[in-house]
Amino acid sequence: MIFRQNKLIFATMKKHETILIVDDNTSILTAMRYLLDGIFERILTLERPDGIMKLMAQEDIDIVLLDMNFTLGVNSGQEGLFWLRAIRKLHPQTPVVLLTAYADVALAVKGLKSGAADFITKPWDNDELVRKLKDVLDMQNEIVTLDEMEKKHIRRTLDHCHGNLTQAAELLGITRQTLYNKIRSLTPDTSPKGEDS
C-alpha cells in the first residue's frame, strides 16, 4: 500500500522539460544526469561551451547549468561569464545557473550581476542543487510582462464596474478614450466589454 501511494505521488509530480548542462568534467556530467533524471524530461550535456548556441538554436532549453571554467589551469571564470552573456543576449528568457568552485563565490556574484539566475558551488549538496534549479524555474514561470499585468488590471476594473467604461476609467485615473485605446491595443480582436448606461 505504501509503495503504491509513493508511486502515485511520484507519478503526479510535474517534471520540468529540458536542462542543458555544460561542464568539461565528464564525471560531473554523469553525476548530474543521475541526480536530475527524475526532475527533467530531457537532460542535454556538453563538454565544451562552443556548442551551446548551436544546440540552443535547435532545442527548446528551459534552463542552463553552466560551468565557469573550461580551459585546464585557467580559473578566472571569464569563459563562463563570456558564455553567460552570449546566452543572455540570444536567449534572454532562458535562465542560466552558474556552477563554480567554492573559492569563486565572488566570481559567481559577478555572474549574478551579468544576468545569471543563481549559482551553485562545487562540491554541491544534491538537495540544495535540485531546490535551486526548481526555484529558478518556478520564479521564471511566475514572471509576468507589464502588458499582461495591465491587461489583467483593466479586466478586473471593468468587471468591478460591470463594463462601464467611464466608471472604470475614473477608477484607473485615466480618460475614457485612453481606456478604450488601451483595451484595443491590449486585445485587438475584441471590443470593450460594455457600454455606458
Side-chain angles (χ1 to χ4, degrees), residues 13-31:
M13 286 176 57
K14 181 185 178 290
K15 278 189 177 184
H16 294 284
E17 296 296 321
T18 305
I19 184 170
L20 170 61
I21 307 166
V22 189
D23 197 300
D24 58 332
N25 185 328
T26 56
S27 298
I28 286 177
L29 294 178
T30 302

Side-chain angles (χ1 to χ4, degrees), residues 22 40 51 58 60 67 81 100 112 142 145 153 162 165 169 196:
V22 189
F40 290 91
Q58 297 169 345
D60 287 329
D67 191 21
L81 292 174
T100 185
L112 292 175
E142 290 174 7
T145 66
H153 188 61
H162 306 289
L165 290 180
D196 288 332

Side-chain angles (χ1 to χ4, degrees), residues 162-193:
H162 306 289
N164 184 315
L165 290 180
T166 303
Q167 188 180 7
E170 216 173 274
L171 280 174
L172 292 169
I174 57 177
T175 66
R176 185 179 190 278
Q177 185 62 45
T178 301
L179 175 59
Y180 182 79
N181 291 339
K182 283 185 178 292
I183 292 169
R184 288 188 57 139
S185 69
L186 293 172
T187 54
D189 56 343
T190 60
S191 56
K193 224 176 154 184

Side-chain angles (χ1 to χ4, degrees), residues 6-191:
N6 288 343
K7 189 175 179 184
L8 182 62
I9 290 168
F10 184 74
T12 59
M13 286 176 57
K14 181 185 178 290
K15 278 189 177 184
H16 294 284
E17 296 296 321
T18 305
I19 184 170
L20 170 61
I21 307 166
V22 189
D23 197 300
D24 58 332
N25 185 328
T26 56
S27 298
I28 286 177
L29 294 178
T30 302
M32 290 285 186
R33 274 188 173 283
Y34 283 117
L35 174 63
L36 301 174
D37 183 47
I39 309 296
F40 290 91
E41 291 290 333
R42 298 176 62 224
I43 301 169
L44 305 176
T45 59
L46 289 172
E47 291 179 34
R48 302 291 314 150
D50 50 9
I52 293 173
M53 293 303 140
K54 182 179 179 183
L55 187 60
M56 289 187 79
Q58 297 169 345
E59 302 279 350
D60 287 329
I61 308 290
D62 296 295
I63 190 167
V64 177
L65 185 55
L66 177 69
D67 191 21
M68 295 199 70
N69 296 298
F70 294 93
T71 303
L72 192 62
V74 176
N75 294 320
S76 67
Q78 293 307 308
E79 290 170 296
L81 292 174
F82 171 83
W83 289 107
L84 167 65
R85 289 185 195 109
I87 294 167
R88 299 295 299 145
K89 184 176 181 181
L90 293 177
H91 304 277
Q93 300 303 319
T94 306
V96 178
V97 175
L98 299 174
L99 195 54
T100 185
Y102 181 73
D104 293 334
V105 171
L107 183 61
V109 170
K110 190 173 179 182
L112 292 175
K113 290 178 181 176
S114 296
D118 208 335
F119 69 91
I120 294 164
T121 56
K122 297 179 195 175
W124 64 84
D125 172 86
N126 287 344
D127 292 336
E128 183 184 359
L129 183 143
V130 169
R131 182 189 53 75
K132 280 191 177 190
L133 292 176
K134 284 183 175 182
D135 286 351
V136 167
L137 286 166
D138 289 345
M139 189 182 304
Q140 188 73 13
N141 292 335
E142 290 174 7
I143 294 174
V144 179
T145 66
L146 288 175
D147 283 346
E148 290 169 348
M149 286 176 62
E150 186 175 45
K151 187 187 295 185
K152 284 180 183 176
H153 188 61
I154 287 172
R155 277 192 192 132
R156 270 194 306 243
T157 305
L158 281 170
D159 287 345
H160 177 75
C161 297
H162 306 289
N164 184 315
L165 290 180
T166 303
Q167 188 180 7
E170 216 173 274
L171 280 174
L172 292 169
I174 57 177
T175 66
R176 185 179 190 278
Q177 185 62 45
T178 301
L179 175 59
Y180 182 79
N181 291 339
K182 283 185 178 292
I183 292 169
R184 288 188 57 139
S185 69
L186 293 172
T187 54
D189 56 343
T190 60
S191 56

